[in-house]
Structure formats: structure tokens, C-alpha cells
Amino acid sequence: MAYERSDSSTGEGGGADTTALALKILVAGGFGVGKTTLVGAVSEIRPLRTEEQLSRAGETVDDTGGVAQKTTTTVAMDFGRITIRSGLSLYLFGTPGQDRFWFLWDELSQGALGAVVLADTRRLEDCFPAVDYFEHRKIPFVVAVNCFAGARNYGAHEVSRALDLDRGTPVVLCDARDRDSGKEVLIRLVEYAGRMHTARLLDSVG
């Protein structure tokens, strides 16, 4: 399990030490699926964004079908932080969606506990590369279906079958604009990734 620990002493005359646990989480998925929105909605700090305006030069490679209102795109990463409970924080790294920026994924995934793969049922095939990426590298992930207005509703089992996910990979429905909804997705990921890492550790010991 990947984590960072930071120790600090409090109180006068030698107070008790407190240990904070910070976990690295990736937020991935296709172009225009809501990664920047999710990071911004849940972050308790002002999120770092690396967005640029879409250009005419990119019209031939950036498929804006279903997201015609989108005018910007992430070219490096998004970054935010959320405290899940006292002593446990998540550092969120949103990945760029277009394939020409995928070379950044290897750097961003270093030390990550797990990932959230955002999916849009109108463009479900756009999240296939992210699913393949994390499956091949054995990085635990959950699929979070961002429920866009006007999109057809599908159940978690239907999405899991359409994506041909490994058995047990969680699929959750969410609204990337809503902080509580996004936080529930992250909690689900931490719980799932924790079980996966524990099982692998026990297997290695066995």
C-alpha cells in the first residue's frame, strides 16, 4: 500500500505525537467525462488545474460528441486534497483524457493507492483505455458512472458487463458536481483498495 506519513508534536512540554496518513488517488477516464469537475467538487483546497482552451487544431482529434459545451481540456493534471476523517487525507491527481497525453500517466500513477475511472454511458468506450491501464498494472480501481442529465440510466451490473470488468471491481453511480457524491466514491475506493492490498500481502506471505 502506498502512503505518506507526517509526524508532528503538539502541546507544550512534550505533547503527544499525531500521525497523519495521506494516500495518493488517481482520477482517470475519457475526454470530457468530469475528472476536473470531480476533483474541484471534493477538494478542500483550491484545486490546481492545467486547463487550456480547445483549439481548431484539436478538432480533428478531440471528439466532443455529447460534450459540445466543453471549451477547455486538461493538458497535464488536476490536483486537490480531501480529508476523509481525522488523520486520513487523500491527494487527488486528475489525469488528462486524450491519448496524446497518456505518457503522463506512468508518472502520475507512481505510488498511487488506487484510481477512480469516471465513465459516461453516452461514451462508455472512452473509459476502456483507463480500465485496461489499471488492470494491466494491477492498480485497484472503481468505475464511477457520472450521471449526466439526459443520459440513459444503466445499473451497475450492466455497466460492469459492458466494460467486461474483473469480478468484484466496484461500479458506483455518482454526480461529479456534488461533493458528498464524490466523497462516497472515494471512500468506496479506499475500502476496496485496502482489501486488495491486504489480500496481496497475505498471498505473498503465504
Side-chain angles (χ1 to χ4, degrees), residues 39-51:
V39 172
V42 302
S43 181
E44 62 197 16
I45 62 173
R46 183 177 181 180
L48 169 67
R49 292 171 174 161
T50 58
E51 289 193 306

Side-chain angles (χ1 to χ4, degrees), residues 8-18:
S8 60
S9 298
T10 58
E12 296 181 0
D17 286 346
T18 59

Side-chain angles (χ1 to χ4, degrees), residues 6-80:
S6 58
D7 299 324
S8 60
S9 298
T10 58
E12 296 181 0
D17 286 346
T18 59
T19 302
L21 183 62
L23 305 174
K24 182 179 183 181
I25 302 296
L26 298 186
V27 179
F31 173 71
V33 78
K35 301 179 295 294
T36 298
T37 300
L38 177 64
V39 172
V42 302
S43 181
E44 62 197 16
I45 62 173
R46 183 177 181 180
L48 169 67
R49 292 171 174 161
T50 58
E51 289 193 306
E52 294 293 340
Q53 290 290 323
L54 292 174
S55 65
R56 288 189 176 181
E59 289 179 354
T60 58
V61 291
D62 294 332
D63 180 10
T64 57
V67 288
Q69 74 283 1
K70 185 172 176 61
T71 60
T72 61
T73 185
T74 298
V75 297
M77 69 172 187
D78 300 308
F79 175 77

